[in-house]
Amino acid sequence: MSFNINMPNEVTTALNLLNNNGFEAYIVGGCVRDSLLGAVPNDWDITTSAKPDEIICCFNGYRTINTGLKHGTVTVLINGSQLEVTTYRIDGEYTDNRRPDSVLFTNDVSHDLKRRDFTINSLAYNSEGMVDLFGGAADIENKVVRCVGEPDERFNEDGLRILRALRFASVLDFNIDKNTSSSIHKNKELLNNISKERISSEFNKLIAGTNYHNIMKEYRDVIEVFIPEAGRISEENWNNILDSMNFVEGTVLRLSLLLHKTNNAENILKNLKYDGITIKSVKTIVAYSDEEVIPDKIRIKKQLNKIGHENYVNLLKFKTAVFMAQKNKYEHEIINIKNAEIILNNILKNKECYSLKMLAINGEDLMHEGFTKGIYLGTILNDILNLVIEEKLENSKDVLIGCVKKYKKI
């Protein structure tokens, strides 16, 4: 594996400034890992022997932000790029299974790398070469997620590392080392000490990974710690769910497929502190998940009016995924969905009316005709909309106003 990493000019500038002031400095962690995998890093983190006040002095010609001086981190802005520069450190005890109670700064990069979670994240690099004390480069080449040192210690330091291991294995399509895997199963209850927001953030990345199926099958017991309802799903249904998730992309659809058999999707997502938009979208898809898709234009327009275009499109994708996972049993249903998609596209192409927003008249038009403002206006508009959807009325203002005049004025 080649260890020649092309760093952005801003990163090289930062390393050189620290070196020129007599300090060691390396890029470290995920940016090294991603570079060795041939991916472009999202962030470039730097670790250095310089203490926080010394870091600030080295970059006195640049804007610095005291991001976390307690933990030795200073954010440096160079040509618009934000770089986190952190002092080599030794972590103290983790009494809350989340973060160290204290940190001790050190001049030895090996102590800093030793505290990291996985070998693939424990690599440091600069122009002089790679510092690889724990076989991280080999693990990247062999596609293995392995804890640095003793897995039990790493997971007891921060329980979220359990889910991070699964996430990395899913996203990177890696296997999990045997000892690390055993420790994950053993220590899974540590996730109960982790905030729901941190869990959902990692879980979203896990279910989006290419290797999600194998990971969620092998580590179902871990998922049941924060989604206990998953334990009540039969093994056959669980496997069908995982198969179906392969046919869709996106958090909303994969969560919908994962949770629709729990009969508790909304509460599960609320408990995991998901945002309101995601909860509402998943709730809608799951609520209509058992409704038959019939390729009929009027029926489709009524559905569009009821749940909206985006939710209806997602519902079709959801049902397609469910049926494709058991294709031999649901060929007729798949054909119906394809035909419904054709009809939907024609409705959109022709800009056919299916909602009050698309109706050629509104409440102001009714009041102009002498109707009194109030709930009755909504009733009239919905009645008119229904006639338009059923193609009993043309969606033109003159036609609709003519129809409205038949209603008793209040």
Side-chain angles (χ1 to χ4, degrees), residues 127-246:
S127 59
E128 295 181 2
M130 184 81 70
V131 179
D132 180 8
L133 304 178
F134 306 102
D139 283 341
I140 289 174
E141 190 167 24
N142 295 322
K143 296 190 171 186
V144 174
V145 176
R146 184 194 314 271
C147 282
V148 172
E150 178 56 46
D152 285 352
E153 292 180 11
R154 297 292 81 77
F155 293 138
N156 275 278
E157 288 169 349
D158 183 357
L160 188 66
R161 288 172 173 172
I162 290 170
L163 203 51
R164 278 171 59 82
L166 304 192
R167 186 255 287 187
F168 282 124
S170 175
V171 172
L172 300 177
D173 196 13
F174 280 21
N175 295 312
I176 298 178
D177 161 70
K178 183 178 178 181
N179 290 336
T180 300
S181 176
S182 297
S183 184
I184 287 172
H185 291 294
K186 173 184 174 183
N187 293 292
K188 62 189 178 185
E189 297 298 334
L190 290 171
L191 287 170
N192 287 317
N193 301 330
I194 305 303
S195 73
K196 302 302 184 183
E197 292 88 349
R198 295 179 79 205
I199 286 176
S200 60
S201 177
E202 287 294 331
F203 190 58
N204 285 347
K205 297 170 187 175
L206 190 166
I207 63 176
T210 56
N211 193 29
Y212 79 88
H213 194 296
N214 292 330
I215 296 303
M216 293 179 72
K217 184 174 182 179
E218 184 174 350
Y219 297 93
R220 178 177 173 179
D221 60 318
V222 178
I223 295 169
E224 289 172 9
V225 172
F226 52 92
I227 306 179
E229 292 88 345
R232 297 195 284 271
I233 299 173
S234 71
E235 185 175 356
E236 180 181 3
N237 280 336
W238 184 254
N239 289 331
N240 286 337
I241 286 169
L242 297 183
D243 288 342
S244 68
M245 288 167 65
N246 190 48

Side-chain angles (χ1 to χ4, degrees), residues 3 49-50 60 78 103-104 133 138 147-148 158 165 189 205 254 270 273 295 311 318 323 327 368 378 400 409-410:
F3 294 149
S49 59
N60 61 5
I78 302 178
V103 299
L104 177 66
L133 304 178
C147 282
V148 172
D158 183 357
E189 297 298 334
K205 297 170 187 175
R254 288 200 167 182
K270 284 182 177 178
K273 308 298 182 184
N311 283 329
F318 171 96
F323 296 143
K327 188 174 181 179
H368 182 74
L400 299 186
K409 295 182 180 181
I410 299 175

